[in-house]
Structure formats: structure tokens, C-alpha cells
Amino acid sequence: MDETTSVATKPPIASDNACANCGHTPVGRYCPACGQRQLSRAQFSLRHLAGELGANLLQWDNKLLRTLVLALAKPGELSALYLAGARSRYTSPITLLLLLFFFFFVGSVPLTDFTQPLQAHLEWGKWYSAPFADWLQAKAAATSGGMPALALAFGQQQHELAKTLVLLHVPLFAIGLKLLHVRRDVYYVEHVIVASHFLVAVLLTTLLAVLLLFLPVESLYAPAEVPEPVKRQVLLWGLNLPMAAVLLLTLKRAYRQSWWLALLKLPLAILAFAAAHMLYRALTFGATLLLL
């Protein structure tokens, strides 16, 4: 065996003043070569491990809470700080999105607008659902229970798909943001981060709108006292106005631009997000049909 290979494959020599990971000497509390913390035997006790786990969980909880508060209180500021390099203080955009999607879809929080009944796809999404109308009628005729049973199965399957497909909003909307800032030296991935934080803020404001507007109208009053058109208007403006405000603040803060420029770009940004949402609906509709 080659002598050099033999020496290279030997484990580090353990000593009181050597790193147990790489063998570097001298070493203090942390190894200057590999960065590993040097452990004593006492640090393998259950008491020490339990304390370390609790500290890590508390630190993670504080980071998540700090991120959620900033995303809701100052839309766009989280993106600006994250892109400027302040990342260890905040939860990453992908982790944050996955946590919120888990809460919304696994927890069955209503009115996220990311899942639609079959009838809504047929009425409001005719540009992508019309070619499947005859197939759906034939499928309903062959299904025990007819169209109601098919619509129920569609809703259940769509609910499962939406947990992952809803992430399509981020890259699709980032394309629109890229087009709106084509003259700026900003990478597409940076627009993805802004789109991620915007979607987080939209989900949080949607939750607040549900708690403060829709549930009181739906639960605190008898259905006969609140006409259905009024409920629809409350829902429409209660969801869309906060979303527009969040988008305006995101354009202003995330890209560090003036109010007048953010206002000028706002209608185009709304159209870009609406287009991304409609593409998401079409893809979700098609994927759900394939799995029925």
C-alpha cells in the first residue's frame, strides 16, 4: 500500500489539545481549522442535550415569529433585508412558504382562493375548461352519483394537488416582476425571493380577512339577514384591496423605488399576478382531471 495513501486515510490522532474532527492543534473551544465545537464528556449527558434542543427550538421559534411579523407589518422590507444579506435572522423564503401552505391546506383554512370547486372552473375558467366539457359529462354519466359525486372527487383531488402546485405562483409571478424591472440589474432568483415573500404576505392578510370579515358575516348573522350578493362583495373587496396594498408596499420597499414609480407599476403587477394565478388554476384543473 502506498505510504501517502495510508497516512491520509488514518483518523486524526486524539489528544487533549487536538480537534477530534480534523486533528488540528492547538485547539480551543472551537477548532480554527474546521470550526467544530470541542465537546467534553459532560456535554453528552441527557441534561445537556435536552437544554441544547430547547435552545435550538426557541431560537427557531423566535426567527419564525420575527419573519412573520415583518412580512405582515412591512411587506417588501423582508425581501430588501434578505437580499441585502441579513439572512440568518429570518426564516428562508421556501421554508416559510412550506410552513404556511401546510397550515392553510392541511389545516383546511377556507377561502385561500387556491382551490376552486369544479363548477367555478367551468364557469370562470372557460378558456381552459371548455375543451373538457363533453368529457366531464361522459365521466359524470359513468360515475355513481353523477356530477355531484364527480365534483366531490374533483375537489378532494384538487385539494391534495394544491399543497404543492400552489408553489407555481412564485416562479410565474417572478417572471412578471422581472419584466417590470427589466432595466435594473436584478437576477431572476432575486425576483423569486420577492415573489415568495409577497405570497407569504398575501396568505397572512387573507387569513386576517377571513377572521375579521368573512367569518363574522358568515357566522354572527343569520343567512337570511345578509344577502348573498353582499357576502360576495365583502369577500371580493376584503381580499383584493389588502392584496393590492401589500403589492404596492412590496414594489416600493423590496426594490427601493419611489412611491410614484411603485404606483405606476402597480396595475401591471396586479395583471402579472392575476395571469400567474390563472395559469396556476389551469394547470391545477388539468392535473386534477388526469388523476381522476
Side-chain angles (χ1 to χ4, degrees):
M1 180 181 295
D2 183 70
E3 184 177 353
T4 304
T5 305
S6 176
V7 172
T9 55
K10 288 181 180 180
I13 299 175
S15 69
D16 293 339
N17 199 31
C19 175
N21 182 55
C22 68
H24 179 84
T25 57
V27 66
R29 187 177 181 184
Y30 292 91
C31 176
C34 68
Q36 176 174 281
R37 182 181 180 183
Q38 304 305 300
L39 300 177
S40 65
R41 187 169 181 81
Q43 289 172 311
F44 289 98
S45 66
L46 288 176
R47 180 179 179 182
H48 175 79
L49 293 176
E52 196 171 70
L53 175 62
N56 289 336
L57 289 175
L58 182 61
Q59 182 181 8
W60 191 84
D61 286 345
N62 288 338
K63 180 187 290 190
L64 177 61
L65 181 61
R66 185 187 305 120
T67 305
L68 290 174
V69 169
L70 185 58
L72 183 60
K74 293 184 176 181
E77 189 66 24
L78 180 61
S79 299
L81 292 175
Y82 194 85
L83 292 174
R87 301 186 177 186
S88 62
R89 286 175 51 83
Y90 304 103
T91 305
S92 69
I94 296 300
T95 302
L96 190 60
L97 279 172
L98 291 176
L99 287 172
L100 286 178
F101 290 149
F102 177 86
F103 173 72
F104 269 77
F105 290 105
V106 176
S108 298
V109 177
L111 302 176
T112 60
D113 199 39
F114 296 128
T115 56
Q116 294 290 319
L118 177 59
Q119 191 60 34
H121 283 286
L122 298 177
E123 290 181 3
W124 304 104
K126 291 183 178 179
W127 64 274
Y128 60 83
S129 63
F132 300 94
D134 293 338
W135 182 87
L136 283 171
Q137 292 296 332
K139 185 77 172 177
T143 301
S144 178
M147 185 60 77
L150 181 63
L152 179 61
F154 179 92
Q156 294 171 345
Q157 184 63 62
Q158 180 188 225
H159 183 81
E160 294 300 318
L161 282 175
K163 296 173 186 178
T164 52
L165 291 183
V166 73
L167 289 172
L168 290 172
H169 282 83
V170 173
L172 292 174
F173 184 46
I175 295 174
L177 292 175
K178 177 68 175 176
L179 294 175
L180 282 174
H181 302 88
V182 67
R183 293 189 175 184
R184 300 187 63 167
D185 186 18
V186 180
Y187 291 113
Y188 173 72
V189 173
E190 296 178 272
H191 295 297
V192 169
I193 292 173
V194 175
S196 299
H197 288 150
F198 169 70
L199 196 55
V200 167
V202 167
L203 288 172
L204 293 175
T205 53
T206 297
L207 178 60
L208 287 179
V210 169
L211 294 176
L212 299 178
L213 293 175
F214 183 79
L215 289 183
V217 171
E218 187 71 20
S219 304
L220 299 182
Y221 301 94
E225 296 178 1
V226 182
E228 192 62 31
V230 174
K231 290 183 181 180
R232 290 181 180 178
Q233 290 300 314
V234 169
L235 179 59
L236 177 66
W237 294 105
L239 292 178
N240 290 336
L241 284 181
M243 190 202 76
V246 167
L247 185 51
L248 174 63
L249 293 172
T250 297
L251 293 172
K252 169 69 174 64
R253 292 173 176 153
Y255 295 101
R256 300 304 192 201
Q257 54 194 1
S258 62
W259 280 110
W260 71 267
L261 189 56
L263 283 168
L264 186 64
K265 292 181 178 180
L266 179 61
L268 296 176
I270 292 175
L271 288 176
F273 186 75
H277 188 58
M278 291 306 296
L279 285 173
Y280 157 79
R281 283 191 181 181
L283 292 171
T284 303
F285 176 81
T288 303
L289 289 184
L290 288 175
L291 296 175
L292 278 180

